[in-house]
Amino acid sequence: MTFKHWTLDRDAEGIAWATLDEADASANTLGLAVMDELAGILDQLSQRPPSGLVIRSGKAAGFIAGANIEEFTRIDSAEAARALVQRGWTLFERLSAVDFPTLALIRGHCMGGGLELALACRYRITVDEPGTCLALPEVMLGIYPAWGGMLRLPQLIGPAEALDLMLTGKGVDAGKARRLGLADDCVPPRVMDNAARIMLLSGRAPRRLPLLERLLNGPLRGIVAGKARKQVALKARPEHYPAPYAILDVWANYAGNALAVPASSTSSLESILRSSTAKNLIRVFFLQERLKGFGKGVDFKPRRVHVVGAGVMGGDIATECALRGMIVTLQDQSVERIAPAIARAAKRFERKFRGKPREARFALDRLIPDPAGHGVAQADVIIEAIFENLDAKRALFADIERRARPDALLASNTSSLRIADIASVLADPGRLVGIHFFNPVAVMPLVEVVRNSGTADEAAKRAAAFVRRLDKLPLPVGDEPGFLVNAVLGPYMYEALRCMDEGVAPETIDAALTGFGMPMGPIELVDTVGLDIAVAAGRTLAGAEAVLPRALADRVAAGQLGKKTGQGFYAWPGGRVRKPEAGAVPAGLAERIVAPLLVASQACVDRSVVADADLADAGVIFGTGFAPFTGGPLNFVRSRQAAG
C-alpha cells in the first residue's frame, strides 16, 4: 500500500518510523484520509511486526494540530457524528493494543486528536523547543475529546491534572509535559531520534499512577467529579457552556467513553454537537483563523523595536517584543521612569521561563533602557505609547521621522486619536499606522491595526505581520474615533454607569453581565482600565461637552481612578478587587446594558470601521471578551431575530 500523507520506513534495528506530512497542508490534521492511511500502516505492521513504532511529524509547523475542523463542520447528522467518533476511538484503541512498543515523538504543537493519538502510544517524548505545546482544547470549541483522551489522560497523569487540562483547554510546554508524566522524556532536537530509539527499545514499563491517584481515577471518581463541577460552576454556566459539564459526566459515569453515553443524555455526542454553543465556538475558531491570516505572506521580520513611553502599556509592549526574541530599546524621560517597566518585565520573564533562568536572563538582556532615544536610528519598528495628547504625539513623531531609518515602520498605540491627525506633521504621513494594544498586553489577544485612506498598503501589511510575530491577532480597522473596540465598549460601560446613577449597586450590575456571559462586569472593567481613561475615551467619542455619568465624575474628582490607585468603584487591596455580595439582579438589566454595544457594533460595520460583520464579531470577542458562546454581538442579534 502506498501512502499520500504518510511515509513508513524501517531502520537496521527493525524500528518502523511512521512520518506524517499531510499533503497540500501547512499543518498536520487527522482528517479521513490521514486516519485511513494510519489504519493501513497498522495493517502492514501487523503482517510483519517491527521491533517498535515511532510516530512523528514531517512538518516544521508541529506534530498534529488535531482533527480536521473543516471536515468536522460538514457533519450533517447525529449518525455521521457518531461514525466520526467511532472511527477515531476504534483506531486509537487498535494502536494502543499492538504487541510491539509504540512512541510518539512530539515536536511542535500536539493538539486535540493529535494528543489523543500520542496518548494511545506506550511512550511519548517531547522536544524541548518553544513551539512544543500539548493540549486537549476541544472544550474551547464547545465539544470534548472523544477519541480516548477522556479515558487515557486521567489514567496517565491523574484525574486532577487531567481534568484541569480538559476543562480549560490550556496547553503545557515540553518541560511541563515531562513533569506531569504526560511525556516520558523531554530532549533537545539534536538527540530526539536517538532518544526515541533508546526509549522504544528500553523495555521500560509504562507509567503507573500511585495508589491514591488510581483510587481517585476509579471508585472515588464521583467525589472528584463533584468537586470539579463546583469549580466549573464558578466560571461557566451549563446553559452557556455545556461541554465541561459533559466531560465530567462522561469521565465519571462512562469511563471516558463518549460512545457509551445514551443519545438522550445532555452529555451525549448528539446533544453536544448540535448545541448552539458548539456551533458558535467553532465559528469563533474560524474567525480567529481569519485574523491570523492578515499577518501572512509578508516578508517582514523585525529584529529591533523602539518603544517610546515606559508606562504600563508601553512597558508591557516592550516586554512582549523582548519575549519574542527582539532587541528592544525603551525610552522615557529618565531611567527612573523606565525602571518599573524593567522590574515588571523581569517578573514576566521569570514566570514565562520558570526553571530556565538563562532564558529569562537573555530575555531581560534584550530589553534596554534608552532615555535618550538612541534606539530610534536602528529600529525596524518604532512604537509610540505616550499619553493621549495630539500635540505631544505630533511633536514626537516629527522628531522620530527625522532620526528613523526611511524603511522603519512608525506606529502609534493611541486608543482614541485619529492616525491621520497625528500623521499630518510628517513628510510622509503614509508610513504611520496605528497598532493599538489592549491592557493587559500579555493577556489580551487582539491588536487593532489602524489605517486611513492615506496609509501606505505596505505599512499596514507590515504592521499586521509584526502583530503576528507577537502571537497576537491583527484586526484591520478604519481611522475612526475609538476604532472598533473602544467605540463599542464606551457606550456599554457608560450605560452601566448610568444604571449606577439610578441607584443600582455596582456589584449587582457586574453580576448581571457576568451572568450574561461576560468574563468581567463593566464596573470592574472601568476600574481595571482606569476611570481617567474612561473619561478621556468618553469625551473623545461623544465630544468634549458630553455629560459624564455622575458616579464616574465624582470618583475622578476624588482621585479614585480604579485599580491603579487602589480605589475606584471597588477597593483593590494588593491589586485584587474586593466586591460586596451582589443582590438580586433586576430583570432585563443585562439586556439594557448590552444593547448600546450591539448598536455600536452594527454602526462600526455601517461606517466601514471594519470590513464586515464577521470582523466586528471577531474584534469584539477577542478585544472585549464578549461572551464567546454567542458567536459575537452581531451573530447574537441575528440568532435572537431568527428565534423570534
Side-chain angles (χ1 to χ4, degrees):
M1 179 179 181
T2 58
F3 304 110
K4 180 179 180 181
H5 305 290
W6 294 84
T7 57
L8 182 63
D9 303 294
R10 292 186 190 238
D11 64 20
E13 295 174 285
I15 296 174
W17 296 78
T19 305
L20 175 58
D21 189 357
E22 186 177 354
D24 305 317
S26 59
N28 292 326
T29 59
L30 296 175
L32 176 61
V34 170
M35 298 282 271
D36 283 347
E37 288 190 6
L38 178 57
I41 287 173
L42 295 181
D43 288 340
Q44 283 194 16
L45 297 181
S46 68
Q47 296 171 15
R48 189 162 67 93
S51 57
L53 169 65
V54 176
I55 298 177
R56 62 183 177 179
S57 169
K59 293 191 183 296
F63 183 66
I64 300 174
N68 186 307
I69 300 298
E70 291 187 2
E71 281 188 12
F72 180 80
T73 59
R74 292 198 291 270
I75 293 174
D76 57 2
S77 68
E79 293 75 17
R82 187 164 283 271
L84 181 145
V85 172
Q86 181 74 64
R87 185 176 75 237
W89 174 274
T90 302
L91 181 60
F92 292 169
E93 282 284 288
R94 182 182 176 193
L95 175 62
S96 71
V98 296
D99 293 331
F100 45 84
T102 55
L103 181 145
L105 181 55
I106 300 167
R107 184 180 191 182
H109 51 248
C110 175
M111 317 294 279
L115 181 52
E116 291 184 287
L117 184 154
L119 288 168
C121 294
R122 183 180 300 180
Y123 308 114
R124 285 150 299 281
I125 287 180
T126 53
V127 178
D128 191 9
E129 287 185 328
T132 298
C133 178
L134 290 74
L136 289 175
E138 286 87 348
V139 71
M140 300 174 73
L141 297 177
I143 56 179
Y144 47 54
W147 287 348
M150 290 187 287
L151 166 68
R152 295 189 177 92
L153 188 62
Q155 291 176 343
L156 183 67
I157 66 173
E161 296 287 1
L163 290 174
D164 183 45
L165 294 181
M166 291 190 293
L167 295 174
T168 64
K170 68 184 181 183
V172 297
D173 62 20
K176 186 169 183 180
R178 173 67 182 87
R179 293 192 296 274
L180 288 175
L182 180 52
D184 297 279
D185 204 355
C186 174
V187 301
R190 66 182 182 275
V191 300
M192 60 183 185
D193 288 347
N194 279 337
R197 184 177 291 107
I198 292 168
M199 177 70 71
L200 198 65
L201 300 178
S202 67
R204 176 173 159 181
R207 185 172 189 266
R208 183 171 169 81
L209 288 174
L211 176 60
L212 177 58
E213 293 286 347
R214 296 202 302 274
L215 290 173
L216 293 174
N217 202 40
L220 301 181
R221 67 172 58 193
I223 297 172
V224 177
K227 290 183 176 179
R229 191 172 287 107
K230 291 178 181 177
Q231 292 299 312
V232 170
L234 296 175
K235 298 180 179 180
R237 296 187 175 204
E239 65 269 28
H240 294 164
Y241 297 101
Y245 296 90
I247 288 172
L248 291 170
D249 184 35
V250 176
W251 172 70
N253 298 314
Y254 301 96
N257 183 0
L259 294 167
V261 183
S264 58
S265 169
T266 56
S267 301
S268 69
L269 290 165
E270 292 82 357
S271 295
I272 290 297
L273 292 174
R274 68 168 173 253
S275 70
S276 62
T277 295
K279 292 183 177 68
N280 286 334
L281 291 181
I282 291 169
R283 164 184 163 77
V284 172
F285 169 81
F286 284 113
L287 292 178
Q288 177 176 269
E289 292 302 299
R290 183 178 175 190
L291 294 183
K292 289 179 180 179
F294 288 117
K296 292 182 179 178
V298 182
D299 186 18
F300 182 57
K301 298 176 181 177
R303 294 182 59 251
R304 292 180 176 271
V305 176
H306 184 78
V307 179
V308 185
V312 171
M313 184 63 75
D316 289 357
I317 293 170
T319 297
E320 294 306 299
C321 293
L323 190 63
R324 302 293 170 182
M326 302 173 208
I327 298 171
V328 185
T329 44
L330 180 57
Q331 179 181 349
D332 212 306
Q333 295 174 348
S334 67
V335 171
E336 289 75 19
R337 286 180 176 264
I338 300 172
I342 302 295
R344 289 197 311 276
K347 292 181 180 178
R348 168 91 165 108
F349 299 149
E350 184 180 347
R351 290 193 302 270
K352 180 68 175 179
F353 298 109
R354 185 174 287 112
K356 298 180 180 179
R358 290 179 71 249
E359 295 293 333
R361 188 173 71 250
F362 291 159
L364 193 59
D365 287 346
R366 292 193 292 268
L367 182 54
I368 305 167
D370 183 20
H374 296 302
V376 167
Q378 289 82 38
D380 303 303
V381 178
I382 301 166
I383 303 173
E384 166 272 311
I386 66 172
F387 56 98
E388 291 288 85
N389 180 280
L390 179 59
D391 290 338
K393 291 180 188 288
R394 281 174 167 169
L396 176 63
F397 275 110
D399 176 63
I400 286 173
E401 186 182 35
R402 287 192 294 269
R403 297 191 292 129
R405 295 191 340 239
D407 63 337
L409 177 67
L410 306 186
S412 172
N413 185 56
T414 181
S415 60
S416 56
L417 300 174
R418 295 178 68 243
I419 297 299
D421 293 338
I422 300 172
S424 63
V425 298
L426 299 181
D428 181 9
R431 68 187 295 196
L432 180 67
V433 295
I435 301 183
H436 180 215
F437 292 81
F438 297 93
N439 193 28
V441 174
V443 175
M444 296 301 291
L446 190 81
V447 177
E448 292 176 317
V449 176
V450 190
R451 63 176 301 177
N452 56 63
S453 58
T455 304
D457 287 344
E458 184 63 19
K461 290 177 181 177
R462 292 167 80 204
F466 168 68
V467 170
R468 287 299 299 140
R469 280 290 309 277
L470 299 179
D471 199 27
K472 302 289 186 184
L473 302 174
L475 174 70
V477 295
D479 194 12
E480 295 281 338
F483 316 129
L484 172 71
V485 172
N486 284 347
V488 304
L489 269 184
Y492 166 72
M493 292 191 295
Y494 271 47
E495 187 64 26
L497 293 169
R498 291 187 190 97
C499 290
M500 276 193 65
D501 285 352
E502 295 171 13
V504 184
E507 61 272 15
T508 300
I509 293 170
D510 281 351
L513 273 300
T514 53
F516 176 82
M518 298 298 197
M520 177 186 292
I523 306 302
E524 184 179 347
L525 179 61
V526 174
D527 262 7
T528 303
V529 170
L531 277 66
D532 53 336
I533 303 299
V535 168
R539 285 178 169 157
T540 299
L541 294 171
E545 304 304 317
V547 177
L548 297 177
R550 186 177 66 256
L552 178 63
D554 289 349
R555 282 169 177 77
V556 171
Q560 298 176 353
L561 304 183
K563 181 178 180 179
K564 59 188 170 185
T565 61
Q567 179 66 53
F569 294 105
Y570 301 115
W572 291 82
R576 294 182 177 274
V577 67
R578 186 170 65 207
K579 290 185 181 182
E581 190 75 24
V585 175
L589 180 60
E591 289 75 11
R592 170 188 167 178
I593 295 172
V594 167
L597 182 151
L598 304 178
V599 171
S601 298
Q602 183 61 55
C604 284
V605 177
D606 295 341
R607 299 200 316 271
S608 299
V609 176
V610 286
D612 53 50
D614 283 353
L615 287 183
D617 280 343
V620 178
I621 288 170
F622 293 112
T624 75
F626 187 89
F629 75 89
T630 67
L634 298 183
N635 187 70
F636 173 69
V637 171
R638 289 194 299 271
S639 300
R640 197 168 56 176
Q641 290 171 343

